[in-house]
Amino acid sequence: TQPLVESGGGSVQPGGSLTLSCARSTYTFASGCMGWFRQAPGKEREGIVAITPGGMRRWFIDSLEGRFAISQDKARKTMTLQMNGLEREDTAMYYCAADSDQYCLYKQPSAYALSGQGTQVTVSS
């Protein structure tokens, strides 16, 4: 069983919405940072946003804060990324990740010890 499993990706038209989910099946890093990352074709993986155990959000791409929202359940078994007003530039593979850092200080994907397999988001008309 994968420790982190993403779901909810798909194909939408510009302006559409999707909600991605990340299901955690391990208690490893349960008290650490969890975050969302994405990798567009031909580009490096980049951090979008992370959430601390206490619920503080740390945005790594400030321009997405108005369209995307991150949340988690109390048990931190599920983390979601609500994406509204999707644009073609949002087309990418989206990953969730987790690490022991409690303050979500790092936006580099390499700083996160656990990562899921990803879910594809395609925005096109």
Side-chain angles (χ1 to χ4, degrees), residues 3 30-31 57 60 74 76 88 95 99 108 120:
S31 59
R57 280 73 168 167
F60 303 131
K74 285 187 177 181
R76 307 197 86 211
R88 290 181 176 81
Y95 302 86
D99 199 71
Q108 299 88 345
Q120 178 67 40

Side-chain angles (χ1 to χ4, degrees), residues 4-121:
L4 299 174
V5 178
E6 304 91 339
S7 63
S11 295
V12 295
Q13 293 185 342
S17 298
L18 282 174
T19 300
L20 305 183
S21 293
C22 174
R24 176 201 287 271
S25 63
T26 176
Y27 286 105
T28 303
F29 304 140
S31 59
C33 181
M34 292 185 70
W36 285 100
F37 298 78
R38 69 183 182 182
Q39 187 166 13
K43 295 187 177 181
E44 293 187 351
R45 193 173 301 189
E46 61 181 353
I48 301 171
V49 62
I51 188 166
T52 69
M56 184 181 74
R57 280 73 168 167
R58 192 178 297 276
W59 288 90
F60 303 131
I61 304 178
D62 292 337
S63 60
L64 293 179
E65 188 174 358
R67 296 191 292 119
F68 291 9
I70 187 173
S71 63
Q72 63 188 0
D73 64 0
K74 285 187 177 181
R76 307 197 86 211
K77 296 283 285 185
T78 303
M79 177 180 66
T80 63
L81 184 67
Q82 174 68 43
M83 305 187 296
N84 300 318
L86 283 163
E87 302 172 354
R88 290 181 176 81
E89 293 73 22
D90 296 318
T91 294
M93 185 73 80
Y94 284 71
Y95 302 86
C96 65
D99 199 71
S100 60
D101 165 35
Q102 295 183 13
Y103 302 103
C104 297
L105 296 176
Y106 308 105
K107 66 178 181 179
Q108 299 88 345
S110 59
Y112 291 74
L114 285 180
S115 180
Q117 297 295 310
T119 185
Q120 178 67 40
V121 171

